[in-house]
Amino acid sequence: MSIWGRFGDFISRVTAGAVSGVSDVVEAVRTAFEGDPELRRKVAFSIAMIALSAKMAKADGIVTQDEVRAFHEIFAVPQEQQRNVARLYDLAMTDTAGFEAYAERMARLCGSGAPNCQMLEDILDGLFHIAKADGYLHEREVAFLRRIAEIFVIDEGRFEAILARHAMTGPDDPYVVLGVTRDAPFDEIRARYRKLVAEGHPDRLIARGVPEEFVAIANDRIAAVNAAFEAIERGRVSA
């Protein structure tokens, strides 16, 4: 059974009971998939992306068709499972619990506690992908995402690098994208570039619990990292 089949069965079963919000769903993941950590990570990632997308939609007060399209670029949801995805999305939209409490639970479930947890960066990257879909990162969306990063124990430098990859106004600073200083030796920059490409490879994402259906996140990340390195390389050669 695909991740969506297992996800759909789980959401149908949980929401058929007495759940007061997404936090109850998160706690149910912990026990329902206790014997299968890999599947638990994949279901947890899917829930995090769907529910935090809904919370982010409330951050700027409007859900645009571009954001819906971007959502479906990341979520290749089979027709028969779209109702379950919509059910979770609507539950998160109407949940009175604040996004911070929910994000804290999700961080624990995804294995946070170590700075710059890679799977949690994947979630943040996906949220940026959706937020920028209308061609503009609203200041309330950036504030929302920055707070999510703090809860996920993603440090300021890593957050700024992710923000630079997704920035919609002005020229992106390739040095910020790669997380290196402007006076860094080129060998150091190249080593950093190769590390980021390796971390962002779709196989790496899948290995840490990101379902196969979400490789759009990896493709966007690698494209931005490649462009940043090429810009720096051109600048160093012409200098």
Side-chain angles (χ1 to χ4, degrees):
M1 182 182 292
S2 73
I3 177 63
W4 285 117
R6 299 298 297 273
F7 171 89
D9 289 348
F10 170 74
I11 294 299
S12 294
R13 185 171 66 253
V14 171
T15 55
V19 293
S20 59
V22 176
S23 293
D24 290 344
V25 178
V26 174
E27 289 304 306
V29 171
R30 188 187 303 276
T31 55
F33 301 102
E34 187 173 8
D36 192 339
E38 181 179 355
L39 181 59
R40 185 179 70 177
R41 286 195 301 271
K42 291 183 177 182
V43 173
F45 178 90
S46 304
I47 290 173
M49 286 300 306
I50 294 167
L52 286 175
S53 295
K55 291 293 189 185
M56 186 171 63
K58 295 180 70 174
D60 67 354
I62 186 170
V63 181
T64 70
Q65 286 304 307
D66 288 324
E67 289 172 332
V68 172
R69 174 185 51 76
F71 184 89
H72 287 288
E73 284 177 1
I74 298 178
F75 293 86
V77 184
Q79 182 68 34
E80 65 273 14
Q81 295 299 337
Q82 290 184 8
R83 181 178 179 183
N84 285 316
V85 171
R87 185 180 300 173
L88 179 61
Y89 191 93
D90 291 344
L91 180 63
M93 284 283 284
T94 57
D95 192 352
T96 57
F99 75 89
E100 292 176 322
Y102 166 64
E104 287 167 0
R105 290 192 180 204
M106 182 54 62
R108 291 195 297 270
L109 186 62
C110 290
S112 186
N116 300 317
C117 176
Q118 280 294 312
M119 183 178 175
L120 296 174
E121 281 197 34
D122 298 332
I123 294 172
L124 191 62
D125 237 356
L127 293 172
F128 264 105
H129 180 87
I130 294 169
K132 71 177 184 181
D134 57 1
Y136 178 68
L137 278 171
H138 194 282
E139 61 182 15
R140 288 197 292 268
E141 291 173 324
V142 174
F144 172 91
L145 293 166
R146 190 180 297 277
R147 181 61 186 133
I148 292 291
E150 291 172 357
I151 294 169
F152 284 178
V153 201
I154 295 172
D155 66 39
E156 183 68 16
R158 298 288 285 225
F159 178 82
E160 291 299 330
I162 297 171
L163 176 60
R165 288 204 304 267
H166 294 283
M168 300 301 295
T169 57
D172 295 340
D173 186 334
Y175 291 92
V176 176
V177 172
L178 296 188
V180 295
T181 60
R182 289 181 172 275
D183 58 355
F186 188 69
D187 286 347
E188 179 183 322
I189 294 171
R190 181 164 47 216
R192 174 65 175 168
Y193 160 71
R194 289 173 175 170
K195 182 176 185 292
L196 290 174
V197 169
E199 288 177 351
H201 191 280
D203 290 345
R204 286 283 187 92
L205 269 73
I206 292 169
R208 59 183 176 250
V210 178
E212 292 86 343
E213 293 86 350
F214 303 97
V215 294
I217 296 172
N219 294 336
D220 278 0
R221 180 183 301 171
I222 290 176
V225 168
N226 283 338
F229 179 73
E230 289 168 5
I232 293 173
E233 187 175 39
R234 286 194 304 271
R236 293 293 178 102
V237 170
S238 62

